Amino acid sequence: MQLTPLINHKTLNMTKRKTVQWLLWILLIGLIAAFSAIYFAFNMPRRNLANENSVYLLSAKQLISDFRNDETIATKKYLDKAITVTGEIKSIRNLDNHSIVFSLEDAMEGVSCTIDSADIVTYASKLLHYKTGSRGTFKGRCSGMLMDIQVINCVPVQGN
Amino acid sequence: MNKLILYFVFSLIVFNVQAQNRFFTKDAKINFNSSTSVEDIVAESNQATTLIDIDKNEIAFSVLTTSFKFRRALMEEHFNENYMESVKFPKAKFNGKIISPIEWKSEKVVLVDVKGVLTMHGVSNEIILKAQIIPGKNKILAITEFKVIPEAFGISIPSAVRDKIAKEVTIKIDAAYTPYQP
């Protein structure tokens, strides 16, 4: 790379030229590093729950009772954490954005585990076994409680 | 005995009537849009819960802020951590009353004003929004669009990124209610 022509040869002796050259290289490397850091941060990948270890592994009933007992404490404890919940599937429904919601223990006020539309094909064979009335285990990110407790970005966990 | 049966039938009817007074959905769509010349930020959640009481003309709506999906994971992180502070304030809520006349049996599209309190980021503000409602026997459809100013809800946006986020963020809600059976 020719960086030297930017500098007037006549006014600089060899050592000064070398120093300037070095500085320019450092600057260039610094800029590349900074831009790539910004680029990667900007395009950082989404959390993939399949690659995360669950912070809590519990039954849907336990999760429901924790939230019913004290929503504030439960929200602090579980919000945004990777959790694995197991329970009886009471209802299965499709959302407009093609995600699938499995409600555990209670169709209205149970635990709603959402599988994103993008993940359905990946887990299709596992999801086939998840029928109303059967037991289901899901790993996902707890996003809090409305009527139901919502667990999003779920992946089905085998061996339920 | 006859009286008992009568009473039983009567209570069934009453229960049925009561059940039909409330419509709800857990799958309401809510999205917001902040568009500026620098950047368009769009996010959507399909899991808002909302309830309409057609006797009292009341509407309640709530959504978990971490359920919003953005185009970029980084935007989602900033939204939850820096702006909405989702750990502290996990829900956004609206409780309101339809203040224009509405005939729930008509099954005709009506444009109504809904006056209520919008709470998000721990701050409550009274707002009046316009909603389009299509009443029905077994289904009620409602859509609304309104604008909010982030700063009015105590959401401070650093000056370095202020021009990337719209002064007023447009929120759209689309809900299909069905009778509520507790």
Side-chain angles (χ1 to χ4, degrees):
Chain A
M1 195 163 205
Q2 289 274 313
L3 294 164
T4 39
L6 290 170
I7 294 137
N8 192 342
H9 291 234
K10 285 169 193 165
T11 55
L12 292 170
N13 59 33
M14 276 300 276
T15 45
K16 269 190 182 166
R17 257 178 68 188
K18 275 254 163 85
T19 324
V20 171
Q21 222 170 15
W22 269 110
L23 283 174
L24 284 172
W25 275 113
I26 290 165
L27 188 74
L28 189 73
I29 292 163
L31 278 175
I32 292 171
F35 275 118
S36 34
I38 291 168
Y39 180 82
F40 284 117
F42 203 59
N43 292 295
M44 72 178 199
R46 285 180 188 281
R47 273 176 79 170
N48 184 351
L49 271 297
N51 303 333
E52 282 187 39
N53 287 323
S54 296
V55 183
Y56 297 103
L57 212 146
L58 73 174
S59 69
K61 280 184 180 151
Q62 182 62 52
L63 188 65
I64 295 164
S65 88
D66 283 0
F67 269 94
R68 297 268 174 260
N69 281 343
D70 194 321
E71 195 188 333
T72 318
I73 291 176
T75 302
K76 272 208 182 106
K77 184 175 173 187
Y78 295 112
L79 193 80
D80 227 28
K81 302 270 189 343
I83 61 169
T84 298
V85 278
T86 304
E88 193 191 330
I89 298 166
K90 293 286 178 163
S91 84
I92 303 170
R93 56 190 211 281
N94 290 290
L95 300 184
D96 280 356
N97 63 358
H98 308 295
S99 304
I100 304 179
V101 183
F102 292 84
S103 293
L104 303 181
E105 301 303 344
D106 192 292
M108 281 286 184
E109 299 180 342
V111 179
S112 295
C113 302
T114 309
I115 312 257
D116 292 329
S117 52
D119 294 328
I120 289 170
V121 176
T122 320
Y123 300 109
S125 59
K126 278 188 193 176
L127 291 174
L128 278 178
H129 303 288
Y130 284 17
K131 298 192 176 85
T132 312
S134 73
R135 289 186 76 72
T137 303
F138 298 90
K139 181 160 74 172
R141 181 157 69 96
C142 183
S143 61
M145 181 173 85
L146 290 175
M147 275 172 87
D148 47 355
I149 294 134
Q150 296 188 0
V151 185
I152 55 173
N153 308 135
C154 284
V155 295
V157 179
Q158 235 162 11
N160 50 305
Chain B
M1 188 64 192
N2 270 345
K3 260 189 184 171
L4 204 71
I5 293 169
L6 245 162
Y7 177 74
F8 181 69
V9 171
F10 181 72
S11 64
L12 262 183
I13 293 165
V14 169
F15 178 75
N16 222 358
V17 167
Q18 269 177 351
Q20 297 295 311
N21 292 345
R22 297 206 283 174
F23 288 74
F24 110 118
T25 175
K26 291 206 284 187
D27 308 333
K29 232 188 284 178
I30 171 167
N31 69 53
F32 70 79
N33 191 320
S34 144
S35 77
T36 59
S37 53
V38 188
E39 196 163 35
D40 281 342
I41 302 166
V42 184
E44 186 177 88
S45 168
N46 278 257
Q47 284 175 285
T49 295
T50 167
L51 195 113
I52 290 186
D53 187 318
I54 62 168
D55 273 352
K56 297 176 186 160
N57 286 352
E58 284 174 356
I59 294 183
F61 184 95
S62 57
V63 65
L64 294 167
T65 50
T66 46
S67 71
F68 279 97
K69 259 199 187 152
F70 290 70
R71 199 158 36 94
R72 293 179 193 282
L74 185 72
M75 288 177 177
E76 218 164 283
E77 196 179 292
H78 284 176
F79 173 74
N80 285 307
E81 288 177 9
N82 306 352
Y83 302 129
M84 296 304 281
E85 299 180 78
S86 299
V87 175
K88 247 163 117 187
F89 313 110
K91 290 176 205 178
K93 279 189 258 181
F94 174 78
N95 285 307
K97 200 172 168 78
I98 300 165
I99 50 172
S100 339
I102 180 162
E103 185 51 66
W104 292 104
K105 287 183 188 120
S106 77
E107 302 198 12
K108 275 185 203 146
V109 187
V110 271
L111 199 68
V112 295
D113 285 333
V114 185
K115 186 179 172 184
V117 176
L118 176 66
T119 306
M120 56 180 197
H121 191 245
V123 178
S124 298
N125 280 315
E126 198 177 272
I127 58 166
I128 294 177
L129 49 92
K130 292 211 179 302
Q132 187 182 305
I133 295 178
I134 309 173
K137 223 178 194 175
N138 296 310
K139 200 171 196 177
I140 293 173
L141 300 173
I143 49 173
T144 182
E145 186 179 322
F146 57 97
K147 289 178 194 297
V148 294
I149 301 165
E151 280 84 355
F153 291 89
I155 300 164
S156 53
I157 297 163
S159 53
V161 293
R162 193 63 197 89
D163 55 344
K164 286 186 180 173
I165 296 164
K167 293 268 176 287
E168 286 185 316
V169 177
T170 308
I171 297 177
K172 275 188 203 168
I173 294 169
D174 185 340
Y177 299 82
T178 47
Y180 177 60
Q181 276 120 12

